[in-house]
Amino acid sequence: MKVGYLCTFTPKEIIHSAGFLPYRVFATESPITLASGYIQSYACSQARGALECALNGDFYAFVFTRCCDTLMRLTDIFEFVGKRVHNIEFPTKIGNIDYYVKELKEFLAVLKEWGGDVSFESLLESIKLYRELEEKLKKLFTLAPDYETVIKVQQIDVKDAIKLVDEKLKSAKKWGNKPKVLITGSVCPYLKVYDLFREAGFSIKDDICTGSRFFEFNYPSFEPEDLDSALRFIAEKYFYKSPCPTKHYSNDRRFDYVLKLAEDCDAVVFLLVKFCEPHFFDYPQLKEKLEQMGKKVALIELEFPVVSTEQIRTRIEALREVI
Ligand code: SF4
């Protein structure tokens, strides 16, 4: 049974260990129609598109993790339209592991009510499987970023996902020397957009939720020994994953992360979903810092479904010409 989730901070290992299929929900290529009756058109199209999927799809339940205001209020709308929903209070301010472990224990109780029981053994197995998947994706992206694969693995069983990445690794070839662009932003499930960068002659590196933010983790240094320590392991794993602007860190972790990624890139493109406030709030300061580093910077706004890619193509080609 599918349990839908939207954010890369969702502890999918726990959902999987309870016997459900964690299924990442994205806006699709279908026009947003039904959802428009419940959500304003100035909400981001990832939120509107996810609601459209929920209204049309066969999900058992949905799990949200606290992130931006729009997705938080989307939880209420999902409940209003009769969906089974649980909201995990992921701390906005990163640091209090004990609080989050307590929250994860409550999540276990909810999963039990939904008919899924989590044991230490099943959770340990899921932790290992997802780590294997993430490490293989890292290897694949070091050779050649493959956005079709990284999006697909978020909607299939983790064992099948590992097999798929293994297959891709067999034929992956390292990209040649081309100008490199860092794409930073929230989500982009539209594969055509990545093709446009390649067609313009760029090699790609990313900091987005449909790319490396799905698999870039810093793993805790201990091995789980019981259910409690397995939850602590997950809490730490997600606290210190690749950062996103909806979280507050005690230092400038998010900016440092993006600036470090940009070091070996010729250009940085902010690929931002229209009305995505957390990313737009960071944009002016990050842009200034990147320009001080000598990077060419461009902003491309997206709205799903992407109706025409030609405007985006023109922006990318213009950027390529000035490098
Ligand atoms: S941008 Fe942040 S809050 Fe939004 S989906 Fe990605 S990780 Fe979650």
Side-chain angles (χ1 to χ4, degrees), residues 6-10 24 46 65-68 71 185-187 208-210 213 241-247 276 278-279:
L6 279 87
C7 172
T8 60
F9 281 83
T10 310
R24 185 112 182 259
Q46 162 66 358
T65 40
R66 173 165 289 280
C67 47
C68 65
L71 290 197
S186 50
V187 289
I208 53 172
C209 284
T210 37
R213 276 215 296 276
K241 76 185 279 300
S242 40
C244 107
T246 63
K247 307 288 178 282
C276 173
H279 281 276

Side-chain angles (χ1 to χ4, degrees), residues 181-186 197 207-208 254 258 268-273 279-280 282-288 290 296-302:
V181 63
L182 172 69
I183 307 172
T184 179
S186 50
F197 284 97
D207 161 52
I208 53 172
R254 165 81 191 144
V258 178
V268 179
V269 170
F270 286 80
L271 199 61
L272 303 188
V273 179
H279 281 276
F280 273 101
D282 277 2
Y283 170 67
Q285 274 179 296
L286 258 182
K287 176 179 186 278
E288 198 180 315
L290 288 161
K296 299 278 179 214
V297 178
L299 167 64
I300 296 179
E301 282 190 62
L302 294 176

